[in-house]
C-alpha cells in the first residue's frame, strides 16, 4: 500500500475514533538516485487536514529504530498533546552495518546527494500527503543522528526552522571514518573555519533568503563515546554560520563568546548549565545545555537504558519550547531553569 493510501486510512480512523487517546503510526518509502529510505510517521490524535501543523524529523542513533527513539524521547506523547507530526527515517544495515547515519562520509555531506537528499525527500513525501506548516519544520537527532541533523541544517537550510542536537558534532567534523572517530575523541577542525564553510555551502543554494538557523544542543559531561568538546565546537560553528547568515559578513553580530549562563538541577537528578545565545536584535538564537554526570543518553527520558536517562533535564520539552520561541510560535511553554 502506498503512503498516501495508508494516510487516508489513518485519517478515516482518526475521524471515526475522536474519543480514542493517542496518535497513529504509518509507514512510507522514498527513492532517488542515491537509493531508498524507509520511514515511519506518527500522526497526532488531534491532527485534522484542514489545519497545517508543525513537523519534526527525528534521526535515531546507531543500532536504533523509530520505535526505540520514540520511546526514549517520548516525543509522540508530546505530539499528541501539542498537535504536531513526527517522522522517523530508518537507516538500513545495508547502508551502514550498525545502522548509523554516515555523517562522516563526503558522499553524505552535500545537497542533492546521499542521505541528505533522501532525508529531504522524506520531508517532501510527508508534506505531499499531510497538512504541514512549512514554516515550522524542525530536525532533531541523537548521536550519529545528531551529526546528520547538523549536515541537514547546512545542506537544506530552507526546509528547517530549527535544529535539535542531542550529543552531536559540528559540520564536517570528520570526512573519513578515521576522521570521524578522531573527532569523537578530541573534537574536529576549527569551528570558525567550519562555520564559514557551512555558510558558503548554504550560500550556493539558489534563492536562499534564510537569515538565521536556531540550534539547541545537549551533552553530558560523562559521555564515554563523544567528547563534550564536540558540542562546544557545534555551537561555535553555528555562531559563525549565523554571523554570516544575517548580513553576509563575519562581523561578530553573533558569537559564541557572548551568552547568558543559567545553572539549574533536576530534583533527585543531575545539575546542568544552560548557555543562551542571542542575535543582534536580542532574539534567542542558540542554546547549549551541559549536563553534569550524564553519559551518552537522551536527557530527561521517561525510561532508563543505555541511551536514555531520566535524571537529566527534559530535552524533549525544552526543544519544543525552544522551537516555539525561535520560530515565533505563540504557544511557548515555560522555560525550565
Amino acid at each position: 500500500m502506498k503512503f498516501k493510501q495508508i494516510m487516508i486510512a489513518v485519517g478515516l480512523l482518526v475521524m471515526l475514533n475522536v474519543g480514542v487517546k493517542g496518535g497513529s503510526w504509518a509507514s512510507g518509502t522514498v527513492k532517488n538516485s542515491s537509493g531508498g529510505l524507509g520511514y515511519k510517521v506518527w500522526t497526532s490524535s488531534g491532527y485534522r487536514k484542514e489545519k497545517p501543523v508543525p513537523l519534526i524529523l527525528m534521526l535515531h542513533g546507531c543500532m536504533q529504530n523509530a520505535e526505540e527513539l520514540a520511546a526514549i524521547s517520548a516525543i509522540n506523547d508530546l505530539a499528541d498533546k501539542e498537535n504536531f507530526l513526527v517522522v522517523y527515517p530508518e537507516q538500513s544495515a545495508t547502508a551502514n552495518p550498525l545502522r548509523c547515519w554516515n555523517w562522516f562520509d563526503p558522499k553524505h555531506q552535500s545537497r542533492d546527494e546521499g542521505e541528505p537528499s533522501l532525508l529531504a525527500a522524506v520531508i517532501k513525501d510527508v508534506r505531499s500527503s499531510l497538512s504541514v506548516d512549512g514554516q515550522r519544520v524542525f530536525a532533531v537527532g541523537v548521536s550519529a543522528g545528531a551529526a546528520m541533523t547538523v549536515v541537514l541544517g547546512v545542506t537544506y537550510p530552507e526546509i528547517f526552522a530549527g535544529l535539535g542536537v542531542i550529543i552531536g558534532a559540528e559540520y564536517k567534523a570528520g570526512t573519513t571514518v578515521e576522521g570521524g572517530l578522531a573527532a569523537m575523541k578530541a573534537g574536529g577542525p576549527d569551528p570558525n573555519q567550519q562555520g564559514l564553510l557551512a555558510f558558503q555551502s548554504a550560500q550556493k543554494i539558489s534563492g536562499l533568503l534564510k537569515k538565521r538557523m536556531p540550534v539547541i544542543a545537549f551533552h553530558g559531561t560523562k559521555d564515554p563515546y563523544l567528547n563534550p568538546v564536540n558540542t562546544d565546537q557545534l555551537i561555535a560553528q553555528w555562531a559563525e554560520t549565523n554571523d554570516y547568515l544575517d548580513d553576509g559578513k563575519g562581523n561578530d553580530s553573533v558569537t559564541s563568546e557572548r551568552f547568558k549562563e543559567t545553572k539549574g538541577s533536576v530534583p533527585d537528578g543531575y545539575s546542568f548549565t544552560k548557555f543562551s545565545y542571542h542575535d543582534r536584535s536580542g532574539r534567542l538564537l542558540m542554546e547549549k545545555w551541559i549536563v553534569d554526570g550524564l553519559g551518552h543518553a537522551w536527557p530527561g527520558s521517561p525510561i532508563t537504558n543505555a541511551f536514555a536517562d531520566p535524571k537529566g533535564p527534559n530535552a524533549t520539552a525544552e526543544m519544543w519550547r525552544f522551537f516555539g520561541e525561535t520560530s515565533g510560535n505563540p504557544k511557548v511553554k515555560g522555560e525550565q531553569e
Side-chain angles (χ1 to χ4, degrees), residues 114-158:
E115 290 165 10
S117 71
L118 288 165
L119 293 167
V122 167
I123 296 291
K124 183 178 180 180
D125 204 41
V126 173
R127 292 188 64 178
S128 72
S129 303
L130 294 169
S131 187
V132 174
D133 181 348
Q135 300 302 308
R136 289 191 288 162
V137 177
F138 309 99
V140 171
V142 59
S143 193
M148 183 53 73
T149 294
V150 170
V151 173
L152 281 180
V154 175
T155 55
Y156 291 91
E158 78 282 14

Side-chain angles (χ1 to χ4, degrees), residues 138-214:
F138 309 99
V140 171
V142 59
S143 193
M148 183 53 73
T149 294
V150 170
V151 173
L152 281 180
V154 175
T155 55
Y156 291 91
E158 78 282 14
I159 293 180
F160 301 104
L163 309 178
V165 183
I166 310 289
I167 324 164
E170 66 182 354
Y171 177 60
K172 288 191 175 182
T175 53
T176 63
V177 173
E178 295 77 14
L181 291 172
M184 291 173 65
K185 292 181 180 180
D190 175 13
N192 290 324
Q193 168 191 307
Q194 301 309 102
L196 176 58
L197 179 63
F199 168 72
Q200 292 170 337
S201 297
Q203 200 177 32
K204 295 177 183 179
I205 301 170
S206 177
L208 176 65
L209 299 176
K210 196 171 193 71
K211 294 297 184 181
R212 67 200 312 264
M213 178 59 80

Side-chain angles (χ1 to χ4, degrees), residues 4-25:
K4 285 187 177 182
Q5 294 173 315
I6 294 173
M7 291 316 303
I8 290 172
V10 169
L12 289 172
L13 287 172
V14 169
M15 287 188 288
L16 290 171
N17 296 279
V18 176
V20 176
K21 294 182 179 180
S24 304
W25 284 108

Side-chain angles (χ1 to χ4, degrees), residues 32-297:
N32 62 21
S33 59
S34 295
L37 185 64
Y39 64 90
K40 294 182 180 178
V41 176
W42 181 261
T43 304
S44 63
S45 54
Y47 169 78
R48 299 293 182 271
K49 193 167 186 178
E50 296 76 23
K51 183 179 180 180
V53 297
L55 171 65
I56 296 183
L57 174 79
M58 295 286 286
L59 296 182
H60 61 73
C62 299
M63 300 182 290
Q64 291 182 330
N65 58 27
E67 286 83 359
E68 289 169 313
L69 183 52
I72 68 171
S73 67
I75 199 166
N76 290 359
D77 293 335
L78 183 63
D80 287 337
K81 180 180 178 181
E82 299 288 351
N83 193 24
F84 60 87
L85 303 167
V86 192
V87 59
Y88 300 81
E90 293 189 302
Q91 179 69 300
S92 69
T94 302
N96 184 293
L98 296 178
R99 301 201 303 275
C100 306
W101 302 100
N102 293 296
W103 58 272
F104 49 81
D105 187 338
K107 295 178 182 178
H108 303 284
Q109 295 177 333
S110 301
R111 187 182 178 90
D112 298 328
E113 294 181 12
E115 290 165 10
S117 71
L118 288 165
L119 293 167
V122 167
I123 296 291
K124 183 178 180 180
D125 204 41
V126 173
R127 292 188 64 178
S128 72
S129 303
L130 294 169
S131 187
V132 174
D133 181 348
Q135 300 302 308
R136 289 191 288 162
V137 177
F138 309 99
V140 171
V142 59
S143 193
M148 183 53 73
T149 294
V150 170
V151 173
L152 281 180
V154 175
T155 55
Y156 291 91
E158 78 282 14
I159 293 180
F160 301 104
L163 309 178
V165 183
I166 310 289
I167 324 164
E170 66 182 354
Y171 177 60
K172 288 191 175 182
T175 53
T176 63
V177 173
E178 295 77 14
L181 291 172
M184 291 173 65
K185 292 181 180 180
D190 175 13
N192 290 324
Q193 168 191 307
Q194 301 309 102
L196 176 58
L197 179 63
F199 168 72
Q200 292 170 337
S201 297
Q203 200 177 32
K204 295 177 183 179
I205 301 170
S206 177
L208 176 65
L209 299 176
K210 196 171 193 71
K211 294 297 184 181
R212 67 200 312 264
M213 178 59 80
V215 179
I216 180 170
F218 295 80
H219 211 126
T221 60
K222 297 297 184 180
D223 192 316
Y225 305 115
L226 193 70
N227 191 318
V229 71
N230 283 281
T231 290
D232 294 335
Q233 291 185 328
L234 164 78
I235 290 295
Q237 177 252 293
W238 278 109
E240 186 76 359
T241 303
N242 275 303
D243 180 24
Y244 278 96
L245 282 174
D246 65 5
D247 60 5
K249 301 176 182 177
N251 51 16
D252 288 337
S253 59
V254 179
T255 172
S256 60
E257 300 302 315
R258 291 194 300 266
F259 53 82
K260 174 186 175 183
E261 182 176 331
T262 305
K263 292 187 178 294
S265 62
V266 177
D268 299 319
Y270 301 127
S271 60
F272 58 84
T273 304
K274 180 183 69 173
F275 302 85
S276 303
Y277 306 83
H278 298 77
D279 61 21
R280 66 168 73 220
S281 67
R283 188 181 179 191
L284 181 63
L285 181 59
M286 300 185 299
E287 285 184 2
K288 178 177 69 175
W289 293 66
I290 301 300
V291 185
D292 298 321
L294 178 71
H296 196 77

